[in-house]
Amino acid sequence: MACMLIGLTTAIAQSDSTVHEVANMFEPKSTPAEMIHEISLLVLLICGVIFVIVTTLLVYTVLRFRRRGSGDDHEEPPQVYGSTQIELAWTVLPILITVVLILVTARTIGEIQDAEMPADALNIRVVGHQWWWEVHYPDYDFVTANEIHIPLSSATERRVTHVALESADVIHSFWVPQLNGKTDLVPNRTNHLWLEPTSTGTYLGNCAEYCGTQHANMQLRVIVHPPDEFAEWVRTQQAAPTVDPAVARGYDTFVSNSCVNCHTVNGTVADGVFGPDLTKLMTRQTIGAGVAPNDTANLRSWVRDPQVLKPGALMPDMKLLDSEVDDIVAYLQTLK
Amino acid sequence: MATTTEEEIDIELSPPGEEKGVLTGGIQSLFYTVDHKKLGLMYIGSGLIFFVIAGLMATAIRIQLAIPKNDFLEPDVFNRFFTMHGTAMVFYVGMPIIFGFANYLIPLMIGARDMAFPRLNAFGFWMFFFSACLFYFSYLGAEGLYGAGSAPDVGWFAYSPLTAKAFSRGHSTDYWTLSILLGGIGSLATALNILVTVFCFRCKGMTLGRMPLFVWLWIVVAFLTLIALPPLSACQIMLTLDRYLGANFFNTQAGGSAVLWQHFFWIFGHPEVYILILPGFAIASEVIPVFSRKPIFGYPIMVAASVMIAFISLGVWAHHMFTVGMTSLGNTFFAISTMIIAVPTGIKIFNWLGTMYGGKIRLDLPMMFCIAFLFQFLIAGLTGVMLSVAPFNWQLSDSYFVVAHFHYVLIGGLLFTLFAGIYYWYPKAIGRMLNHKLGLWHFWLFIFGFTLTFAPQHVSGILGMPRRIFTYDPGRGWEIWNFISTVGVPFQIAGVACLVANMIWSYFKGKKAGDDPWDAWTLEWATTSPPAEYNFEKLPVVRSRRPLWDLKHPEDPDWKHE
């Protein structure tokens, strides 16, 4: 219990930086997370009071009634077999507390789960893969991966994001603690959750359901923009890609290898759907679902052999020559 | 209760010098014995061996997580370790040790000569033992005899479709499935045997209402086992059909249902938690009265609360599934049923406190472990209440908070009472006391290490750390908590080492125990330590819940008050 409180206070320092690295659920930044936060404080309070009372009773009983010395050894204490009144008291009291908990829980479940989505809610479809996130923006007709950009909601302009969750293979779970509780991505099924961020910045999350070898490196970033910045980001994502003639060799290597069987780059022959869409790769902060920052060295390492950064990843070592790796990385770095 | 037709209490204390050895018949007798006491000790002994193996795997897991981006274990090795650790701790450590206690003690406590079906009893043990061997053999055999072997890596609840052929190649999942299926048969046999024994073999005068609470709790556990294990066996068979005959119950790629597996698994899995913790309650319910020198407070309501826990526990399973996307109605139902279970559980804690209150508490080792159990189980219960609040659960589920919660239940709750039981009944089973000093070292080292390891995990969970990750990035606020958590491990290891050393040393050198070293009241203390193969020379006749109290206090026997 004490540890928990320390944990709460140490994590409060982070709030104003743009990357919220510590995903503390007691520092919610989105309406549903705030609703959960509210009920969890009540529950913590109730449990805390019970903890203090019962622990005090236990400590008192042990100290007060422990056998002292050995003088009175053979005298047995009065034999008490029970008491209906006392039993009744400590049955009824917990029942009352339980009733209170049941009522608030039922209300909060309904408020969060059955919340009416506003007509102008932004729709996103997230599909879990071993071990990355495919992110569709059906309203704007583009696809990205692993990093989800959503607009800020404010008192003047309420912007709710509705997320539909699906899975392409095994069960995953979408969890960005500061924005909402987790919801699983279950194959053959569509689950839903909603976000209504009240503060900008990058929020970190993870896949929260064990999904195989690289479960740990199935990380998630949600970047919250003010509405105009978000619109700008959408325009970037929608813009038609171009092939810079300076990297034509890289482009040729890319499309003539099996890269294109799994990856999509809009406007090219690359239209695979097993791996992340690369059309706007360079607008992303990380690669490999958060396994490493998106820089030249890491990109090179990844293209040469993904198994180095993320052993077990489903992208195999393509056995490319050094020069081919250079060319492909040069090409990939124009995708922005 | 007392009527004129009641028979007089008649218990023959064994004359001194009657003790037989523990291992009558030699080592070889272990292989053919049908004696409930030997089988009980074999259960506990092999459970402790698997406990050490599974504990070492946990140690490796903690080393890997001590610092961020550690590469002590490869991802797949890590995943196998937590799968083997979790599965073994539930099926090959928890289950056999509690069955061991039941096997050893129930016939003695009800004044019987053996279990109802001694051969079935031996069958149950060997099913468990060989299924455990099969389980560990997966390290060698799972990929066939060529190449490196590999153990199961799907987690102890093996969520489909991760177990489907497409995602789990080789035979590792089959080893997991088959060994649990076989172990389950053994557990069913033992549960059945316990029920028949208790209902048919009680000594004269021992009505249901006069059984020690230990035995009552075991009726409940045995019933729960009978009800909960068949769904587990069923889904293991279905999974095997999926993998080899294309049945596609759970194979989502062919239209199967991933959620169906979860329903099957948890309708077993949640009662299983109570199957594991109620025997802990059973031990506490014997130890606490004896060391407080008072009868258990509110015996009838203790029985009622146990039965209620069992009933409700059959209707709470989907609280493990608050995040799979059930309707708000479904979530509300399972939140409510889960919260209700806190009421009878609370009653039990209060009754133990009531038993201690006004007593003369002897702070011997069994009692110290029970007091620690009360404190730790209180925390486990309260974090359980937090988890039952579905919206809070959406945050906490599958995080390290849950890891902390169930280790507080299973170590802080179950293991501490098992330790209490070992210190309490070792003198009966072996005939010698365990060394007190070494026991104190065990207690303090273990409780310190346990707290250091598991208390901080509440915090890392609240800070968003998911369970079952083999590594994590620095800077997310998890480093310090994980580091502390790992620091606790050597203390726990040292504690367990003290226990093992103590058990071995005391076997040869311990102080002679005598028949009744704790001045206790139940029938097992009326016979020799260790008891003869036939337990009692003359089957006892009892008149109350505390026959030896009646014998020692003829001026104020219990049957006048019950």
Side-chain angles (χ1 to χ4, degrees):
Chain A
M1 284 278 158
C3 288
M4 253 185 255
L5 295 177
I6 299 167
L8 300 189
T9 46
T10 49
I12 283 171
Q14 301 286 333
S15 35
D16 248 3
S17 68
T18 42
V19 180
H20 304 265
E21 290 213 65
V22 178
N24 184 353
M25 63 180 72
F26 284 97
E27 212 182 288
K29 301 285 184 202
S30 159
T31 311
E34 277 156 14
M35 290 153 83
I36 294 175
H37 180 229
E38 212 171 284
I39 189 173
S40 53
L41 287 183
L42 175 74
V43 177
L44 273 180
L45 180 74
I46 292 175
C47 291
V49 171
I50 297 174
F51 175 78
V52 170
I53 293 175
V54 179
T55 307
T56 313
L57 275 175
L58 177 65
V59 171
Y60 172 79
T61 308
V62 172
L63 293 181
R64 167 77 181 73
F65 295 105
R66 76 177 192 281
R67 189 167 59 171
R68 277 162 250 256
S70 49
D72 56 347
D73 253 0
H74 300 292
E75 191 87 7
E76 299 281 15
Q79 301 294 298
V80 180
Y81 297 84
S83 149
T84 315
Q85 288 90 337
I86 297 177
E87 304 270 4
L88 216 61
W90 66 44
T91 308
V92 172
L93 264 174
I95 289 179
L96 293 179
I97 297 172
T98 308
V99 170
V100 173
L101 275 178
I102 286 173
L103 293 177
V104 289
T105 303
R107 193 186 64 188
T108 311
I109 291 176
E111 277 175 359
I112 296 177
Q113 229 185 317
D114 300 337
E116 196 76 35
M117 288 294 102
D120 66 342
L122 168 69
N123 287 299
I124 297 180
R125 196 173 129 239
V126 175
V127 183
H129 292 259
Q130 282 182 320
W131 293 278
W132 60 282
W133 311 85
E134 177 184 344
V135 186
H136 291 259
Y137 285 75
D139 301 348
Y140 302 110
D141 201 26
F142 64 83
V143 182
T144 175
N146 300 329
E147 294 172 13
I148 301 175
H149 294 250
I150 57 173
L152 179 75
S153 186
S154 59
T156 49
E157 192 185 355
R158 184 164 185 242
R159 290 299 302 271
V160 174
T161 302
H162 167 249
V163 188
L165 302 164
E166 291 164 20
S167 169
D169 38 46
V170 300
I171 300 179
H172 306 277
S173 193
F174 184 101
W175 190 28
V176 186
Q178 288 180 287
L179 300 182
N180 198 342
K182 65 183 71 60
T183 303
D184 296 350
L185 296 79
V186 184
N188 292 349
R189 182 185 173 96
T190 306
N191 279 335
H192 303 273
L193 63 76
W194 57 286
L195 311 170
E196 192 186 346
T198 51
S199 166
T200 55
T202 300
Y203 297 92
L204 302 188
N206 288 70
C207 172
E209 186 65 81
Y210 174 65
C211 55
T213 311
Q214 279 290 349
H215 167 54
N217 283 316
M218 187 163 166
Q219 300 177 36
L220 186 57
R221 282 169 180 249
V222 177
I223 298 116
V224 176
H225 301 280
D228 45 340
E229 210 178 288
F230 175 72
E232 180 59 38
W233 178 80
V234 168
R235 272 194 295 280
T236 318
Q237 298 294 314
Q238 286 172 318
T242 48
V243 181
D244 187 338
V247 294
R249 228 165 18 151
Y251 171 77
D252 288 341
T253 319
F254 182 78
V255 295
S256 57
N257 271 289
S258 46
C259 313
V260 296
N261 295 338
C262 295
H263 293 285
T264 295
V265 176
N266 277 346
T268 72
V269 293
D271 59 356
V273 292
F274 294 110
D277 186 304
L278 300 177
T279 309
K280 297 287 169 180
L281 174 66
M282 298 316 290
T283 63
R284 304 209 275 265
Q285 303 167 358
T286 61
I287 57 170
V291 80
N294 186 1
D295 58 30
T296 311
N298 287 328
L299 266 180
R300 273 191 56 87
S301 161
W302 186 273
V303 174
R304 160 153 294 295
D305 181 7
Q307 304 301 319
V308 172
L309 282 173
K310 198 169 178 176
L314 297 185
M315 176 170 162
D317 175 359
M318 302 303 293
K319 314 267 191 234
L320 297 168
L321 302 173
D322 274 346
S323 59
E324 290 174 321
V325 172
D326 290 337
D327 292 343
I328 289 181
V329 169
Y331 166 64
L332 291 178
Q333 286 183 318
T334 65
L335 298 175
K336 44 190 158 196
Chain B
M1 273 285 218
T3 59
T4 44
T5 59
E6 193 85 44
E7 280 192 68
E8 281 304 307
I9 175 168
D10 178 10
I11 297 168
E12 201 163 278
L13 295 180
S14 46
E18 278 280 280
E19 299 86 19
K20 302 271 183 352
V22 186
L23 251 185
T24 48
I27 297 275
Q28 69 272 26
S29 71
L30 295 183
F31 293 96
Y32 55 75
T33 186
V34 292
D35 176 17
H36 74 100
K37 295 181 293 300
K38 276 194 188 130
L39 287 168
L41 294 180
M42 285 155 71
Y43 265 122
I44 295 173
S46 36
L48 286 177
I49 291 171
F50 296 130
F51 171 71
V52 170
I53 298 175
L56 289 176
M57 288 190 174
T59 307
I61 290 173
R62 279 308 335 154
I63 294 174
Q64 164 68 14
L65 291 175
I67 50 171
K69 289 282 178 202
N70 199 1
D71 51 11
F72 177 70
L73 294 181
E74 282 175 28
D76 278 330
V77 176
F78 182 93
N79 296 342
R80 280 176 209 142
F81 273 18
F82 74 65
T83 304
M84 297 295 280
H85 166 80
T87 310
M89 282 295 189
V90 171
F91 294 102
Y92 302 119
V93 178
M95 295 294 273
I97 295 183
I98 60 170
F99 278 142
F101 274 94
N103 245 301
Y104 196 97
L105 292 167
I106 289 175
L108 286 169
M109 282 183 167
I110 61 173
R113 296 209 188 279
D114 203 321
M115 297 285 272
F117 307 117
R119 276 163 213 277
L120 186 67
N121 203 13
F123 169 79
F125 171 80
W126 290 108
M127 284 305 272
F128 139 71
F129 189 79
F130 285 126
S131 79
C133 295
L134 183 69
F135 181 64
Y136 281 107
F137 183 72
S138 62
Y139 264 106
L140 300 175
E143 282 187 358
L145 288 175
Y146 52 90
S150 76
D153 60 354
V154 288
W156 91 274
F157 41 74
Y159 272 1
S160 72
L162 201 57
T163 49
K165 265 277 183 209
F167 305 106
S168 173
R169 288 179 283 268
H171 295 300
S172 58
T173 298
D174 305 318
Y175 273 85
W176 182 85
T177 307
L178 291 178
S179 46
I180 287 178
L181 190 61
L182 291 180
I185 294 171
S187 303
L188 284 177
T190 309
L192 200 74
N193 207 349
I194 287 170
L195 284 177
V196 177
T197 308
V198 173
F199 286 128
C200 305
F201 280 66
R202 297 192 308 279
C203 66
K204 245 190 195 148
M206 184 165 289
T207 57
L208 286 179
R210 285 178 190 162
M211 294 190 309
L213 268 184
F214 184 96
V215 182
W216 251 115
L217 277 153
W218 264 98
I219 292 186
V220 174
V221 172
F223 266 119
L224 269 183
T225 309
L226 282 186
I227 297 168
L229 275 175
L232 177 71
S233 305
C235 70
Q236 306 292 8
I237 293 170
M238 289 158 81
L239 179 59
T240 309
L241 293 178
D242 264 18
R243 286 174 59 86
Y244 289 99
L245 296 174
N248 298 330
F249 291 109
F250 310 120
N251 184 2
T252 48
Q253 293 184 316
S257 166
V259 178
L260 181 66
W261 169 270
Q262 299 190 16
H263 281 295
F264 266 105
F265 190 87
W266 289 118
I267 206 167
F268 148 78
H270 201 78
E272 171 69 14
V273 175
Y274 287 92
I275 291 172
L276 287 172
I277 195 66
L278 290 179
F281 290 2
I283 292 171
S285 301
E286 293 306 311
V287 170
I288 290 176
V290 169
F291 288 84
S292 307
R293 309 308 302 156
K294 280 176 64 202
I296 191 85
F297 192 88
Y299 175 97
I301 199 161
M302 283 297 256
V303 172
S306 313
V307 175
M308 249 182 86
I309 289 176
F311 266 108
I312 305 172
S313 80
L314 292 167
V316 301
W317 75 91
H319 70 211
H320 295 266
M321 300 163 55
F322 281 142
T323 64
V324 299
M326 289 189 292
T327 60
S328 52
L329 190 69
N331 283 333
T332 309
F333 175 87
F334 285 102
I336 292 175
S337 62
T338 307
M339 286 170 187
I340 291 174
I341 216 166
V343 176
T345 313
I347 291 173
K348 293 190 83 87
I349 291 188
F350 289 131
N351 274 304
W352 287 318
L353 279 174
T355 307
M356 291 160 65
Y357 194 92
K360 278 185 184 169
I361 301 172
R362 285 200 320 230
L363 285 179
D364 261 315
L365 283 160
M367 189 61 180
M368 289 169 71
F369 277 104
C370 280
I371 292 169
F373 149 76
L374 284 177
F375 176 73
Q376 286 153 185
F377 190 72
L378 172 68
I379 295 177
L382 291 174
T383 52
V385 170
M386 296 176 198
L387 285 163
S388 75
V389 177
F392 204 2
N393 184 288
W394 294 331
Q395 289 284 18
L396 298 174
S397 163
D398 276 317
S399 76
Y400 257 81
F401 190 89
V402 172
V403 177
H405 163 72
F406 67 69
H407 281 93
Y408 261 78
V409 174
L410 291 176
I411 299 182
L414 176 63
L415 187 60
F416 269 72
T417 52
L418 292 178
F419 285 151
I422 289 175
Y423 283 93
Y424 185 56
W425 281 295
Y426 184 94
K428 175 52 62 184
I430 307 297
R432 292 173 187 268
M433 306 296 286
L434 280 167
N435 182 288
H436 186 71
K437 239 187 212 142
L438 216 47
L440 286 177
W441 275 104
H442 169 208
F443 177 80
W444 289 112
L445 280 170
F446 197 82
I447 199 170
F448 181 71
F450 162 74
T451 309
L452 216 52
T453 298
F454 294 105
Q457 296 184 355
H458 291 107
V459 185
S460 41
I462 282 173
L463 298 182
M465 180 167 171
R467 64 194 283 202
R468 297 174 160 181
I469 53 174
F470 72 89
T471 192
Y472 53 92
D473 288 336
R476 299 199 57 181
W478 304 340
E479 295 102 313
I480 180 70
W481 309 110
N482 275 287
F483 186 74
I484 298 174
S485 202
T486 304
V487 169
V489 174
F491 293 96
Q492 294 187 66
I493 294 179
V496 173
C498 287
L499 173 69
V500 174
N502 200 347
M503 288 169 76
I504 296 171
W505 184 85
S506 303
Y507 184 87
F508 299 103
K509 298 267 166 84
K511 202 174 79 198
K512 288 266 186 203
D515 293 351
D516 183 13
W518 308 113
D519 192 5
W521 303 311
T522 37
L523 282 178
E524 75 270 29
W525 304 103
T527 182
T528 50
S529 310
E533 233 162 277
Y534 41 84
N535 290 351
F536 302 95
E537 226 151 274
K538 193 174 140 211
L539 286 181
V541 179
V542 302
R543 270 189 93 169
S544 79
R545 290 168 203 149
R546 296 193 297 169
L548 294 202
W549 170 273
D550 298 350
L551 209 62
K552 293 168 189 169
H553 301 268
E555 75 290 351
D556 184 27
D558 261 9
W559 49 264
K560 285 192 180 159
H561 304 281
E562 278 173 9

